[in-house]
Structures are given as C-alpha cells and as structure tokens.
Amino acid sequence: MVSAVICAFLVFLGMGLVSYVDSKCPGDPLHGYWDEDTRNNRCILRCDSGYEPSGCHIIRYSQKQRKWNHDVPSCQKEWPVSGKTLMAVVTGVAAVVVTPVLLARARFMNPGVAAGFTAAMRHVHV
C-alpha cells in the first residue's frame, strides 16, 4: 500500500514538474516576455516600455499542424507616431484638399470660392 502511494505521489510530482518546465510559449524575446494563457491555450507577447510587437502579439500552437498560427513576433522599438495617428492625419489632409474640389464639381460653390476656401485652409493649418 505504501509503495502505491509513493508511486502515485512521484507520478503526480513528475507531471507537475514537466508542465512547469515545458512551457507552451516560445522563448522570451529581447525587451519582452511571453505570458502563457493556459485557460485559452494561447501565448500573449508583452513588450517592455518603449517597445511594441513586430506582428500579431497573440499566437496559438497547433499540435496537429506542428506550427504557430502566426509568425512568432519579437519586440521592436516603438515608432514615435503610431499608425492610427498617421492614418488620421493623412485622412484629414485628404478631406481638406478634396472637399472644395468635390463641392465645385457638384456646383455647390463656384471655383473662386473653392480656391479661396483651399487658400484659407492652408493658412489655418500652416
């Protein structure tokens, strides 16, 4: 009886050590670490301050296909301007330039008013 209890204890201890040592996430990258979400069976990349993931920061490993569902990202230096900010600026500039032209073509204002509007907008944004 005692040997069966010891054997069961050693099996459970061994399983605990294997699951602790055998992480399902890739090795930690420079300037970050992987957060293993065992509940949802995924790995989440957390980058240090001033760094951002180079790609999709949440990945899963498929045992069946023996590969990750996305390329494994790393932590890269953050850009001073985010992609969202850059897109907002480009969209705003395009709206200021295109609006008078579209209004003039739709005959909502004559070309002189459209040109004046564009000149005024340039003066305001300079």
Side-chain angles (χ1 to χ4, degrees):
M1 176 69 177
V2 173
S3 63
V5 171
I6 292 173
C7 183
F9 174 74
L10 290 176
V11 167
F12 287 122
L13 178 65
M15 287 173 54
L17 289 175
V18 168
S19 65
Y20 177 74
V21 173
D22 187 25
S23 174
K24 292 180 176 38
C25 293
D28 288 343
L30 213 56
H31 309 293
Y33 64 95
W34 286 101
D35 190 5
E36 188 173 353
D37 180 1
T38 54
R39 170 179 266 178
N40 296 309
N41 198 26
R42 63 187 186 169
C43 298
I44 304 168
L45 178 61
R46 309 283 187 196
C47 294
D48 298 339
S49 179
Y51 292 86
E52 62 187 1
S54 61
C56 185
H57 72 288
I58 299 175
I59 58 175
R60 295 175 194 268
Y61 188 77
S62 170
Q63 293 290 345
K64 184 177 179 180
Q65 296 177 349
R66 301 177 89 66
K67 66 178 188 172
W68 295 100
N69 65 336
H70 296 285
D71 291 336
V72 177
S74 60
C75 292
Q76 64 186 15
K77 196 81 167 149
E78 280 183 346
W79 285 75
V81 177
S82 74
K84 289 180 183 178
T85 303
L86 186 60
M87 199 60 170
V89 169
V90 168
T91 303
V93 168
V96 167
V97 171
V98 172
T99 299
V101 174
L102 292 176
L103 291 175
R105 287 197 178 161
R107 303 214 186 265
F108 284 111
M109 60 173 76
N110 67 34
V113 174
F117 176 78
T118 304
M121 291 308 291
R122 280 194 205 131
H123 178 70
V124 169
H125 287 91
V126 171

